[in-house]
Amino acid sequence: MSFAAGGEEDLPSPFADIPALVHDHSYLPIRFDGLVDNALVYISGLGVRRALKKLSCDVCRASLVTEAASAIKDQSYHLLSLRNNGGLVIPSEGTVKVVRAAEWVIRQASSSFGRSRPIKLLEVMYIVRKRIGSEDVFVLGEHIVDTQYGIDSHHQTLLTLVVSVFFKIRLHHIAKITTLNLQSNNMRQQLNKTVLFKGH
Ligand SMILES: [Zn+2]
């Protein structure tokens, strides 16, 4: 079996109104206002928890998270803390970048085309994969080369997984994202935790 390098070309584009989203570069850099961004980082953290349960590759697992305190710079602590599923999970910069891209796609799709139906997961995935392209967002480095000619590329697997868990969690948090109900002190505290990441 052989696979095209990069692997982005293997999906057909059955979505008639998608090309505009793929080629629209207005998203660079993807930044939302502070509150939305905090919510996205918070949801990224929830998503990482789910993603870690589905990933067996330690390199990929490590790429999804970052240390809360940069005080612990020793990489050997990194995997150790990954094993501790009860601890605070801080999503890596790459994870948040992919989540921001997915959120952008969802918002553009719902506002630009006057859709009568919400955008589907496969469509979001397709566009995010197109837009991220071969950029090493998860900082996998050599690991991409290691896995590129295998059955799948771990880079693509990670992209797919992160977008997929985000999409599902987002459905349940859509009210919080769109209205950002900050009356809840509990939510406020959780948002404050994610500010740790932004100081990174
Ligand atoms: Zn991997």
Side-chain angles (χ1 to χ4, degrees):
M1 277 187 281
S2 72
F3 295 84
E8 304 100 51
E9 304 302 326
D10 54 352
L11 278 175
S13 177
F15 320 119
D17 51 359
I18 291 305
L21 282 182
V22 174
H23 299 295
D24 177 356
H25 290 281
S26 65
Y27 78 110
L28 289 172
I30 296 180
R31 275 281 162 179
F32 297 95
D33 70 58
L35 290 177
V36 173
D37 221 41
N38 270 289
L40 289 180
V41 172
Y42 171 68
I43 290 178
S44 299
L46 297 179
V48 165
R49 278 182 185 280
R50 292 190 188 180
L52 287 176
K53 289 176 185 163
K54 298 180 180 185
L55 274 176
S56 56
C57 174
D58 279 341
V59 177
C60 287
R61 288 165 61 87
S63 76
L64 289 181
V65 297
T66 193
E67 288 296 341
S70 55
I72 304 175
K73 290 210 165 98
D74 187 340
Q75 284 298 307
S76 55
Y77 280 90
H78 205 62
L79 277 179
L80 184 70
S81 53
L82 282 185
R83 302 286 186 195
N84 176 16
N85 286 326
L88 180 62
V89 175
I90 312 266
S92 68
E93 209 168 334
T95 305
V96 175
K97 191 169 183 178
V98 171
V99 163
R100 284 199 188 107
E103 177 69 14
W104 182 89
V105 169
I106 293 168
R107 288 180 180 230
Q108 290 301 113
S110 62
S111 65
S112 304
F113 302 119
R115 285 168 169 257
S116 54
R117 61 169 181 83
I119 191 167
K120 290 177 179 169
L121 173 59
L122 277 179
E123 294 170 316
V124 176
M125 219 173 262
Y126 175 82
I127 301 170
V128 169
R129 284 176 65 167
K130 278 286 184 192
R131 305 200 66 142
I132 298 285
S134 55
E135 184 188 347
D136 184 13
V137 281
F138 296 109
V139 200
L140 293 177
E142 296 282 304
H143 190 57
I144 288 182
V145 180
D146 287 346
T147 58
Q148 193 170 25
Y149 301 105
I151 286 181
D152 55 1
S153 149
H154 285 204
H155 170 72
Q156 294 297 341
T157 304
L158 278 175
L159 266 184
T160 302
L161 184 59
V162 168
V163 172
S164 165
V165 292
F166 168 67
F167 191 83
K168 285 169 191 161
I169 293 173
R170 190 185 186 280
L171 290 179
H172 298 286
H173 287 74
I174 192 154
K176 282 178 190 165
I177 296 183
T178 51
T179 67
L180 281 167
N181 181 355
L182 290 179
Q183 271 80 26
S184 158
N185 282 333
N186 189 35
M187 182 66 182
R188 191 186 294 273
Q189 282 168 0
Q190 287 172 333
L191 283 173
N192 284 342
K193 278 184 193 171
T194 67
V195 172
L196 281 172
F197 171 77
K198 295 185 73 72
H200 170 69

